Amino acid sequence: GYISSVSGTDIYFHNEAGATIDLHAGDIISHGNKLNSTLSSKRNIVAISQTAALAKINATDIQQWQYKDDNNSKVHIGPIIDDVNKIGNKQYTIPNDLIANVGDETGLDESNALSMAIAAIQELSKRNDELSQRVTELERKVQNVK
């Protein structure tokens, strides 16, 4: 089956009040995904700490698994939100910044995960540059001793 627009334009899903609604589905295959990230659509903008982002990424357990209702042919990789064990006894760790609650469902906030990963990469790049500079300085000192 399919859903199509009679006019050939975009399709929007709204509730009776006119607000956009969430869409729940299994795997979604598309030719791309665009998240709204325009400055004009945002408020309360605050910089995040790249060091803190790296620490949160490092504290996130990444596992390999299969969904119970899969046919056992597809393997997934990523964090697991432990919705079974009580706080203090969680089997897997994921920061709250990477968790999204939509209605009564809990899932991975992929936008936050991607953004946090970018911030962590920026921190690692900065650290790598600093270490490269230190190595270069040490190599110069060794050359001057010879």
Side-chain angles (χ1 to χ4, degrees):
Y2 59 91
I3 299 172
S4 65
S5 168
V6 174
S7 64
T9 60
D10 295 340
I11 298 172
Y12 296 88
F13 295 90
H14 297 273
N15 62 16
E16 290 179 3
T20 56
I21 59 171
D22 298 317
L23 199 60
H24 299 255
D27 289 339
I28 298 174
I29 299 170
S30 72
H31 294 283
N33 185 25
K34 181 183 80 168
L35 299 172
N36 183 0
S37 195
T38 58
L39 176 60
S40 61
S41 67
K42 298 177 180 182
R43 61 187 167 94
N44 300 328
I45 299 169
V46 179
I48 68 162
S49 163
Q50 294 171 338
T51 303
L54 178 58
K56 288 179 181 185
I57 292 294
N58 283 335
T60 302
D61 294 325
I62 304 296
Q63 305 293 322
Q64 178 176 301
W65 75 92
Q66 291 177 308
Y67 286 106
K68 292 178 178 180
D69 59 358
D70 275 353
N71 64 5
N72 292 329
S73 64
K74 186 166 183 175
V75 175
H76 302 271
I77 298 170
I80 296 175
I81 301 167
D82 187 343
D83 61 338
V84 175
N85 299 299
K86 294 180 181 179
I87 293 176
N89 292 321
K90 297 285 185 186
Q91 189 173 354
Y92 302 103
T93 301
I94 181 172
N96 287 334
D97 298 329
L98 300 185
I99 298 173
N101 294 304
V102 178
D104 61 347
E105 294 187 31
T106 302
L108 176 66
D109 187 324
E110 290 179 329
S111 177
N112 279 4
L114 173 62
S115 298
M116 194 174 296
I118 290 170
I121 291 167
Q122 290 171 334
E123 176 63 19
L124 291 173
S125 179
K126 182 178 80 177
R127 290 181 187 187
N128 186 60
D129 290 345
E130 291 169 356
L131 289 173
S132 293
Q133 184 177 358
R134 288 178 58 194
V135 167
T136 301
E137 289 172 8
L138 288 171
E139 287 173 340
R140 277 192 214 130
K141 287 180 182 179
V142 167
Q143 287 296 331
N144 289 337
V145 171
K146 290 182 178 179

